[in-house]
Amino acid sequence: LTAPVEGIITDRFDLKKGCFGVKIAAAAADRIAAVDNGTVVQSSWSPDNGCTIVIQHARNLISIYKNLSQSLVAIGQTIRSGELIGYNAEAENGEVKLFEFELWNNGKPVDPERYIVF
């Protein structure tokens, strides 16, 4: 798997703290890429998570990308590894939203750092 963005991990995977993935400090409006080939199963927006993209991959693996400023994909779209899927959020009203990335395997969150070198 390839890293979705270049940046510094500020929060690590920790189930006890309810952190199901990693938070990455990346440049505002930086390109967010798919970590592997797959199919988009969700592309939505919410006040808490901004634009969120969920991609289903082979071997029951799902990748989740949160706090994007823009999604460039649609549900059902086939995506290739490394393909641009959206842009990192920019600071709003002085508040910086960190990019959040999660990996789930067989319905359970897994540590992305065991699969990807960031």
PDB file of all heavy atoms in Angstrom, residues 22 26 49 65 68 91 96 108 111:
ATOM      1  N   VAL A  22      -4.747   7.028  11.996  1.00  0.00           N
ATOM      2  CA  VAL A  22      -3.704   8.010  12.265  1.00  0.00           C
ATOM      3  C   VAL A  22      -4.177   9.383  11.820  1.00  0.00           C
ATOM      4  O   VAL A  22      -4.983   9.513  10.899  1.00  0.00           O
ATOM      5  CB  VAL A  22      -2.375   7.655  11.546  1.00  0.00           C
ATOM      6  CG1 VAL A  22      -1.764   6.389  12.121  1.00  0.00           C
ATOM      7  CG2 VAL A  22      -2.559   7.532  10.043  1.00  0.00           C
ATOM      8  N   ALA A  26      -0.443  17.606   7.311  1.00  0.00           N
ATOM      9  CA  ALA A  26       0.024  17.739   5.925  1.00  0.00           C
ATOM     10  C   ALA A  26      -0.277  19.162   5.465  1.00  0.00           C
ATOM     11  O   ALA A  26      -1.060  19.885   6.096  1.00  0.00           O
ATOM     12  CB  ALA A  26      -0.683  16.723   5.030  1.00  0.00           C
ATOM     13  N   ASN A  49     -16.458  15.687  10.112  1.00  0.00           N
ATOM     14  CA  ASN A  49     -15.358  15.059   9.376  1.00  0.00           C
ATOM     15  C   ASN A  49     -15.078  15.659   8.010  1.00  0.00           C
ATOM     16  O   ASN A  49     -14.262  15.118   7.267  1.00  0.00           O
ATOM     17  CB  ASN A  49     -15.627  13.562   9.211  1.00  0.00           C
ATOM     18  CG  ASN A  49     -15.678  12.843  10.534  1.00  0.00           C
ATOM     19  OD1 ASN A  49     -14.873  13.084  11.423  1.00  0.00           O
ATOM     20  ND2 ASN A  49     -16.651  11.972  10.700  1.00  0.00           N
ATOM     21  N   TYR A  65     -10.746   8.021   4.478  1.00  0.00           N
ATOM     22  CA  TYR A  65     -10.028   9.288   4.380  1.00  0.00           C
ATOM     23  C   TYR A  65     -10.971  10.376   4.894  1.00  0.00           C
ATOM     24  O   TYR A  65     -12.033  10.597   4.316  1.00  0.00           O
ATOM     25  CB  TYR A  65      -9.654   9.585   2.927  1.00  0.00           C
ATOM     26  CG  TYR A  65      -9.008   8.408   2.211  1.00  0.00           C
ATOM     27  CD1 TYR A  65      -9.771   7.327   1.762  1.00  0.00           C
ATOM     28  CD2 TYR A  65      -7.638   8.371   1.985  1.00  0.00           C
ATOM     29  CE1 TYR A  65      -9.192   6.247   1.119  1.00  0.00           C
ATOM     30  CE2 TYR A  65      -7.044   7.291   1.330  1.00  0.00           C
ATOM     31  CZ  TYR A  65      -7.835   6.236   0.906  1.00  0.00           C
ATOM     32  OH  TYR A  65      -7.254   5.171   0.265  1.00  0.00           O
ATOM     33  N   LEU A  68     -11.255  15.996   4.409  1.00  0.00           N
ATOM     34  CA  LEU A  68     -10.841  16.525   3.116  1.00  0.00           C
ATOM     35  C   LEU A  68     -11.638  17.792   2.836  1.00  0.00           C
ATOM     36  O   LEU A  68     -12.784  17.937   3.267  1.00  0.00           O
ATOM     37  CB  LEU A  68     -11.104  15.502   2.009  1.00  0.00           C
ATOM     38  CG  LEU A  68     -10.478  14.114   2.177  1.00  0.00           C
ATOM     39  CD1 LEU A  68     -10.815  13.236   0.992  1.00  0.00           C
ATOM     40  CD2 LEU A  68      -8.994  14.216   2.357  1.00  0.00           C
ATOM     41  N   ALA A  91      -7.213  25.383   6.757  1.00  0.00           N
ATOM     42  CA  ALA A  91      -7.652  25.941   8.034  1.00  0.00           C
ATOM     43  C   ALA A  91      -8.884  26.811   7.819  1.00  0.00           C
ATOM     44  O   ALA A  91      -8.966  27.557   6.840  1.00  0.00           O
ATOM     45  CB  ALA A  91      -6.531  26.751   8.657  1.00  0.00           C
ATOM     46  N   VAL A  96      -7.320  24.324  12.422  1.00  0.00           N
ATOM     47  CA  VAL A  96      -6.737  23.390  11.468  1.00  0.00           C
ATOM     48  C   VAL A  96      -7.355  22.009  11.685  1.00  0.00           C
ATOM     49  O   VAL A  96      -7.367  21.500  12.797  1.00  0.00           O
ATOM     50  CB  VAL A  96      -5.201  23.312  11.633  1.00  0.00           C
ATOM     51  CG1 VAL A  96      -4.612  22.281  10.696  1.00  0.00           C
ATOM     52  CG2 VAL A  96      -4.577  24.669  11.393  1.00  0.00           C
ATOM     53  N   LYS A 108     -12.823  -4.739  11.268  1.00  0.00           N
ATOM     54  CA  LYS A 108     -12.162  -4.257  12.480  1.00  0.00           C
ATOM     55  C   LYS A 108     -11.052  -3.277  12.120  1.00  0.00           C
ATOM     56  O   LYS A 108     -10.330  -3.489  11.142  1.00  0.00           O
ATOM     57  CB  LYS A 108     -11.569  -5.424  13.268  1.00  0.00           C
ATOM     58  CG  LYS A 108     -12.620  -6.379  13.783  1.00  0.00           C
ATOM     59  CD  LYS A 108     -11.993  -7.507  14.552  1.00  0.00           C
ATOM     60  CE  LYS A 108     -13.092  -8.461  15.016  1.00  0.00           C
ATOM     61  NZ  LYS A 108     -12.561  -9.648  15.671  1.00  0.00           N
ATOM     62  N   ASP A 111      -3.981  -1.063  12.599  1.00  0.00           N
ATOM     63  CA  ASP A 111      -2.987  -0.005  12.617  1.00  0.00           C
ATOM     64  C   ASP A 111      -2.443   0.238  11.203  1.00  0.00           C
ATOM     65  O   ASP A 111      -1.760  -0.629  10.651  1.00  0.00           O
ATOM     66  CB  ASP A 111      -1.852  -0.392  13.561  1.00  0.00           C
ATOM     67  CG  ASP A 111      -0.819   0.696  13.746  1.00  0.00           C
ATOM     68  OD1 ASP A 111      -0.870   1.734  13.042  1.00  0.00           O
ATOM     69  OD2 ASP A 111       0.068   0.512  14.602  1.00  0.00           O
TER      70      ASP A 111
END
